[in-house]
């Protein structure tokens, strides 16, 4: 019996899920600096399970006039002025991110990318603000649709905190590595894949007699 490998475009109504995490110098996306961003794209493996695919990661120089809250950088441990970060200007980072995502979105034959994040409105707000600030017209991201792993983890695992949700899913999580955009994005990607794959394995997907509207 031949099994057809599922297509990503068919799983999320044409959306291409992109897991994103940002580290910032505050909570206000309009005024506070974006300091670090990471993104993980996904694919289906030969068994039809959703798995992480490519990774994008950059440190970001604060945009001109950006506000930096001392409490925020003490929390995430980022020194915005440290040359060793290898930070790039925000315009370059966001253009490179959009180019990277558009490439893989096209390969997956998806129509639009959707941000997947833990407490997604926060990360989506900073991504949207940076894209608007840099006047980038060709953004791959949907302006307001997002998939929030906080809500998904609450439903599937009874947990809302990222580390606790990962632990419940059996995903190793090193607390000392937390609040790095790259580390948190990779763990969030694993968590999202775990939830989607578990739902499939429990018989929740594909839907019987699925009718496309």
């Amino acid at each position: 019996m031949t099994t057809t490998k599922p297509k990503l475009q068919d799983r999320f109504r044409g959306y291409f899920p992109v897991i994103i995490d940002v580290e910032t110098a505050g909570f206000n996306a309009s005024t506070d600096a974006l300091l670090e961003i990471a993104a993980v794209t996904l694919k289906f493996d030969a068994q039809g399970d959703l798995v992480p695919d490519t990774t994008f990661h950059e440190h970001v120089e604060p945009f001109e006039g950006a506000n930096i809250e001392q409490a925020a950088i003490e929390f995430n441990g980022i020194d915005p002025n440290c040359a060793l970060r290898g930070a790039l200007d925000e315009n370059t980072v966001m253009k490179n991110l959009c180019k990277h995502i558009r490439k893989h979105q096209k390969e997956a034959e998806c129509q639009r990318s959707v941000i997947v994040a833990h407490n997604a409105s926060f990360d989506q707000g900073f991504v949207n603000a940076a894209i608007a600030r840099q006047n980038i017209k060709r953004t791959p991201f949907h302006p307001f649709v997002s998939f929030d792993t906080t809500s998904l983890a609450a439903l599937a695992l009874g947990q809302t905190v990222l580390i606790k949700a990962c632990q419940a899913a059996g995903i190793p999580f090193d607390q000392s590595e937390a609040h790095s955009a790259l580390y948190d994005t990779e763990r969030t990607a694993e968590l999202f894949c775990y939830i989607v794959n578990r739902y499939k394995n429990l018989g929740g997907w594909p839907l019987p007699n699925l009718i496309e509207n």
Side-chain angles (χ1 to χ4, degrees):
M1 180 177 177
T2 302
T3 302
T4 302
K5 182 179 178 181
K7 294 183 178 181
L8 203 57
Q9 68 183 103
D10 298 327
R11 181 60 181 87
F12 303 105
R13 199 170 93 33
Y15 286 138
F16 182 64
V18 180
I19 291 75
I20 283 185
D21 187 80
V22 299
E23 295 298 329
T24 69
F27 296 110
N28 190 321
S30 298
T31 61
D32 299 340
L34 172 65
L35 299 176
E36 185 183 6
I37 186 167
V40 171
T41 64
L42 307 175
K43 66 178 181 179
F44 282 119
D45 66 12
Q47 289 71 48
D49 286 333
L50 196 63
V51 296
D53 187 16
T54 71
T55 300
F56 176 95
H57 174 234
E58 292 289 356
H59 290 276
V60 189
E61 295 175 355
F63 63 90
E64 185 176 355
N67 179 58
I68 296 175
E69 295 289 338
Q70 186 63 30
I73 60 175
E74 287 176 357
F75 178 75
N76 58 35
I78 297 174
D79 178 358
N81 300 312
C82 179
L84 296 178
R85 291 204 304 136
L88 300 176
D89 64 272
E90 188 179 78
N91 185 272
T92 298
V93 170
M94 299 312 294
K95 284 183 176 178
N96 288 346
L97 172 66
C98 290
K99 181 179 179 180
H100 177 84
I101 299 305
R102 280 198 307 270
K103 176 179 182 292
H104 294 285
Q105 173 188 298
K106 182 178 181 180
E107 290 174 352
E109 301 180 330
C110 289
Q111 301 166 3
R112 202 76 184 267
S113 293
V114 60
I115 289 175
V116 182
H118 209 71
N119 298 312
S121 61
F122 179 84
D123 302 87
Q124 185 178 47
F126 271 88
V127 170
N128 286 346
I131 287 173
R133 194 161 45 237
Q134 300 306 327
N135 198 30
I136 297 171
K137 303 301 184 184
R138 292 190 64 207
T139 170
F141 299 109
H142 194 288
F144 56 83
V145 173
S146 64
F147 299 160
D148 193 339
T149 52
T150 310
S151 301
L152 293 173
L155 174 66
L157 298 163
Q159 298 290 345
T160 58
V161 177
L162 181 58
I163 182 173
K164 291 185 177 296
C166 287
Q167 289 170 343
I171 299 168
F173 195 104
D174 185 348
Q175 181 66 55
S176 67
E177 296 288 340
H179 308 304
S180 152
L182 179 59
Y183 188 83
D184 286 359
T185 303
E186 290 174 338
R187 300 294 80 73
T188 302
E190 291 182 62
L191 178 63
F192 181 69
C193 290
Y194 171 87
I195 294 171
V196 172
N197 293 335
R198 187 181 183 205
Y199 185 68
K200 182 200 73 170
N201 294 334
L202 290 172
W205 187 268
L207 297 176
N209 304 317
L210 182 64
I211 300 176
E212 294 186 3
N213 294 319

